[in-house]
Each structure stands twice: as structure tokens, then as C-alpha cells.
Amino acid sequence: MPLDPQIQALLDKGTGVPATHTLPVDVARAQYEARIASMAPSAAVADVCERTIDGPGGPLRLRIYTPLGTGPFPLLVFFHGSGFVLCSLDTHDGMCRNLCAGAACVVVSVDYRLAPEHKFPAGIEDCLHAVRWAAAHASELGADPTRVAVAGDSAGGNMAAVAALRLRDEGGTPLCAQLLLYPVTDYHTPGTPSYEENVEGYGLTRDTMKWFWKHYLSDPAQGAHPHASPLRARDLSGLPPALVITAEYDPLRDEGELYADKLRAAGVPTAMTRYDGVNHGFMFWVGVADKAGAAMNEACEWLRGAFAAPHHS
């Protein structure tokens, strides 16, 4: 399908902006933060507050969103994307508000440590710690400790998938769902056909993915580790039900779909939807691009179903 006109218009606005992989990290971060001003208003929630907890590497900031209505609500722990290097609680504030309102759940957004200052596995250690903390403190958050899910977009989808793997293997909070929005599931080498088809021109490029991985890993050999590349995990059985959303014009499309296939083959209930005509990161544009709204609605409806399913504490 040709590129969606609403997405094309957004890409055209970025014409002339320097490519991420050509920039120093601090400049790239500032460029991403500057995008917040162009986002559409997001859904109404009852309350947003911040907490700082003791994390594995020092103080760990969380932003907690509470929906309208009466709790206890289900609990969603969210990890923002942008290559383990960029973005923040602020860049993903709208996404978290939309998930909170749409799925009627408490959302805990995690300000995990970023590379290159903190390389693999620092960020995932923070994410795992945050899930355990949120589940243990669910009642004070107005949430139900028996209905806990993880979610993330892009690199945050990687964090969510890896958190689910590690909770299965290391014990702790049983999860009822994992929501993976165009996730990073594999190292960039050897890459997939979608890496070749969408090398550049659609926002995220192959060169930018290489830049992200170079900053994230201390050594390229770590790319084979399942906590960096969950697609390489030998066994995906016993993981929580998943929804994987992918985008047609995305270098990461195939690895997201391969992960969904591998989850299904391992007996994990898995829904997978590819949105045609859109690019990586399109779900930022709820209220601007119709397909972003459709994908957000699907994600929220799926989460509501997952939270309502019979579960075991």
C-alpha cells in the first residue's frame, strides 16, 4: 500500500532535519524532545503523579497515570522507546494517557537508564525492578496486583518482551499480558527483508538502528543474548498473551512479526496486526493520523480483554 497521506505529511515536515545517526547523543535527544509540541492533545485521566523509588542503579523515576472511575484498576507498566538512547517520560506522556484512559488501567511509565551512559543490561534491570515494585505496591496505586501487564513501543517493546521472559525465568510477578508496539526483537545483523525495503525515507532508518545498537551494547556479541534480542530466546513457552502491532514501512516490521510467529508456535496466545501505509513510530500521532487512532483503539480494546480474562494470582 502507498504511504498514508497523513503520515506522508508528517514525514514531509521532517524534511531537512538531520538524521539521528549523524548527531551527537545530546543533540539527538533535544531533537526528539522538541517533537512534543507537535503532538495532539491526549485523553483525559483522573491523576498523574511522579514517584522516585530506589532502583538497581540509584533513584528511578516513575510517572503514574490513574484513569477516571473507581478502582482497583488493572496495572500496566510501560517502557518508552527510541533505541535505548533517546526519549523520556515526557515524549511518551500522550501515549501513556491514551493507554490509561482507553484501557481503564493504572499506567506506570518507567524512566529507565539510557545508553550510552548506561549500557545493556542497565535499562532492562530498571524495567524489571519497576514491574516488581509496581506489583508489590499495587494497592497503594489503586491497582490490582493480580492483573499486571507490560507494554512498550520500539526499544520499549524490547524491554517489555525481555521483562516478560525474565519474570518467567527468574520468578516474581505473573503477567497477564504483553503489548508490543513495533518492537525491537533482534540485533540488526543479519537483518530481515524489511531492513532492506525500508533502509531510509520513513523516519527510522537502518543506519539509525545500527547507531542505537552501537550505543546500547558494550560488544556486538551481546546482540545474540536473548535479553538483548528476545527473538533469539530458545523457548518462548509460558509467556503471557501478546498483542504485537507492526507498521508496513518500518525496518523492524519483520522482526516484530517473526516474534509473534515464534510466540504462537510456543503456544502463547498471540494477536498480531500489521498497519499498512504507516511508518515506525506512527502511534505517536493519535489525533493527527487516523491509523494511529485505530491502532491505539485496538491496543486498548485488547488490553481490556486481557485484563478481564480469568487470571491466577
Side-chain angles (χ1 to χ4, degrees):
M1 175 185 279
L3 203 58
D4 180 90
Q6 292 171 318
I7 295 293
Q8 185 66 63
L10 289 163
L11 284 170
D12 290 345
K13 281 186 186 167
T15 305
V17 174
T20 303
H21 68 273
T22 64
L23 299 172
V25 168
D26 58 336
V27 177
R29 285 179 181 156
Q31 186 170 287
Y32 275 67
E33 296 295 321
R35 292 181 182 177
I36 300 165
S38 62
M39 306 267 169
S42 42
V45 299
D47 184 61
V48 182
C49 65
E50 288 198 8
R51 291 278 296 262
T52 301
I53 63 171
D54 291 329
L60 178 59
R61 217 166 111 228
L62 308 173
R63 189 173 292 174
I64 300 156
Y65 302 80
T66 305
L68 300 163
T70 309
F73 301 100
L75 178 60
L76 181 69
V77 186
F78 181 87
F79 315 118
H80 71 76
S82 268
F84 315 103
V85 176
L86 310 174
C87 284
S88 64
L89 298 181
D90 292 336
T91 55
H92 285 65
D93 184 72
M95 196 174 287
C96 290
R97 288 171 187 264
N98 287 331
L99 288 166
C100 172
C105 60
V106 170
V107 175
V108 176
S109 184
V110 182
D111 191 28
Y112 60 86
R113 285 171 289 168
L114 297 176
E117 296 89 343
H118 306 282
K119 290 188 177 282
F120 170 81
I124 184 62
E125 295 290 348
D126 287 352
C127 292
L128 194 61
H129 182 81
V131 178
R132 292 192 164 124
W133 181 90
H137 294 80
S139 56
E140 68 190 74
L141 302 176
D144 175 354
T146 70
R147 293 186 291 163
V148 182
V150 290
D153 66 311
S154 192
N158 173 290
M159 298 292 196
V162 173
L165 275 169
R166 290 190 59 180
L167 287 163
R168 180 198 67 181
D169 295 343
E170 298 166 30
T173 312
L175 299 175
C176 66
Q178 51 179 328
L179 172 64
L180 310 178
L181 309 176
Y182 31 81
V184 176
T185 70
D186 200 13
Y187 189 59
H188 66 74
T189 305
T192 57
S194 61
Y195 253 99
E196 299 300 324
E197 291 164 26
N198 305 300
V199 169
E200 57 187 22
Y202 305 110
L204 180 66
T205 67
R206 182 169 63 185
D207 284 342
T208 295
M209 280 309 303
K210 289 180 175 175
W211 186 84
F212 285 145
W213 278 110
K214 183 165 161 280
H215 283 310
Y216 185 46
L217 303 181
S218 306
D219 176 340
Q222 292 175 323
H225 195 293
H227 296 167
S229 298
L231 187 61
R232 304 195 189 196
R234 278 194 294 277
D235 175 21
L236 297 183
S237 63
L239 288 169
L243 170 61
V244 181
I245 286 180
T246 64
E248 180 182 9
Y249 292 101
D250 180 359
L252 306 184
R253 180 193 72 213
D254 293 350
E255 65 195 66
E257 295 177 4
L258 287 166
Y259 196 66
D261 292 343
K262 197 169 172 181
L263 285 168
R264 280 189 192 129
V268 176
T270 303
M272 203 286 295
T273 305
R274 177 195 291 188
Y275 281 81
D276 286 331
V278 296
N279 65 335
H280 186 82
F282 77 102
M283 287 180 71
F284 273 124
W285 303 108
V286 174
V288 178
D290 297 342
K291 288 198 172 176
M296 181 58 72
N297 289 343
E298 181 188 6
C300 291
E301 193 175 321
W302 181 84
L303 279 170
R304 286 197 301 271
F307 287 137
H311 48 272
H312 309 282
S313 58

